[in-house]
Amino acid sequence: MTEMWMNMGPQHPMTHGLWNLRVKVDGEKITEAQPVIGYLHRGWEKMVEARDFQQIIPMADRLCYGSSMTWSHLYCRTIEELMDVEVPERAQWIRVIVCEMQRIASHLMWLAAVGTDLGSYTIFLYCMRERELFLDQLMNLTGARMTYNYPRIGGVRNDLPENFERDTLRVLNLFEKRLKTEYEALCDKTVSYRMRMENTGYLSKADAMNLGVTGPNMRGSGVDFDIRRDDPYEKYDEVDFEVCVEQEGDSYARYRVRMREMQESCNIIRQAFKKMRPGPVRVKAPRNAPKKTAFAHVEDPRGEGLMYVVGDGTNQPYRLKVRSPIFVSVSAAPVMLIGEKVADVPAIMGSIDMCLGETDR
């Protein structure tokens, strides 16, 4: 059989965005893989150098529209480190709540996309239905459905609206019920779903660590690490939650990690509501930053999100560098794909939750 190269992307249903996966095949078997990115590059890191610190917050939302709250939160945390700003306790609790709601919404969007990869439109419909419930709550809080522009340097933009806690808890109760019944029946107990996900896209624990893979993709390979627990920020050190780890390292293990994480996010949100107390939600931040450097990292739904900033005494960053989790995870594509069949590529690449906005920046 003669080997040949195939291009999957940059415009292909499998890619979940503009990127190209070149695979060399021998019949149906993949013998080599080369991920190619750069089609979406926007020069985000360069653009922010021409704006002041406040103007960058809505731009951080656009790094990943599937998890915009996480990225604007990370940006504000980084600048707070640079300016030595202490965030009020109530604002820290609110940040925990909205970031976990964002994690659930992001994971649901991921599962919806994987459903279409596997040809299951029902999975897509179920996930979009539940995701709307969380987007409704975030819209009640922020006024926007996807790019929230809600965290601020020194806290959050506004306090929780009336009945926000009551309505959110109702959403959690309904979501947990469906998570344990409808989703398990649709995915875990469906033979075709498990056949496509189990024993495909294997990523060993050693490869995950050596390649720098983080988040659910790393925990699906048996690495017990979560920034929320191992380097806690905001109020994560005051809530009890389990770091979800699976040992198999295949696409199904990565799926199971995200499903369990959504349940843990529900538990975290409930604890946060119980522990938060009345108080201010924002302090005033200085206009100019000192001449020094700072960095912060958070547990994004796709892995470790990190920002490094250099202050030069002005009201603009001299340099702002973003560490994107999927930029690193996509480098593991050859490891996961070689030896697999072409028909399994959509399920395997879908299982790592691609987002080209934060990858290409």
Side-chain angles (χ1 to χ4, degrees), residues 195-216:
M195 285 177 65
R196 297 291 302 276
M197 299 293 280
E198 287 182 315
N199 302 315
T200 62
Y202 178 70
L203 180 66
S204 70
K205 183 176 183 178
D207 284 337
M209 296 178 69
N210 290 334
L211 291 168
V213 175
T214 56

Side-chain angles (χ1 to χ4, degrees), residues 167-190:
D167 294 342
T168 302
L169 292 177
R170 287 177 178 174
V171 169
L172 295 183
N173 292 338
L174 178 61
F175 175 64
E176 283 181 313
K177 182 181 177 182
R178 290 175 173 172
L179 193 64
K180 294 174 182 173
T181 55
E182 296 180 6
Y183 284 80
E184 286 194 6
L186 194 59
C187 300
D188 299 73
K189 296 179 181 177
T190 300

Side-chain angles (χ1 to χ4, degrees), residues 2 7-8 13 51 61 81 109 140 153 216 221-222 244 294 309 348:
T2 303
N7 283 289
M8 303 184 75
R51 288 162 173 80
D61 279 328
E81 287 288 328
M109 192 175 75
N140 291 340
I153 302 170
S221 296
C244 304
V309 62
I348 295 170

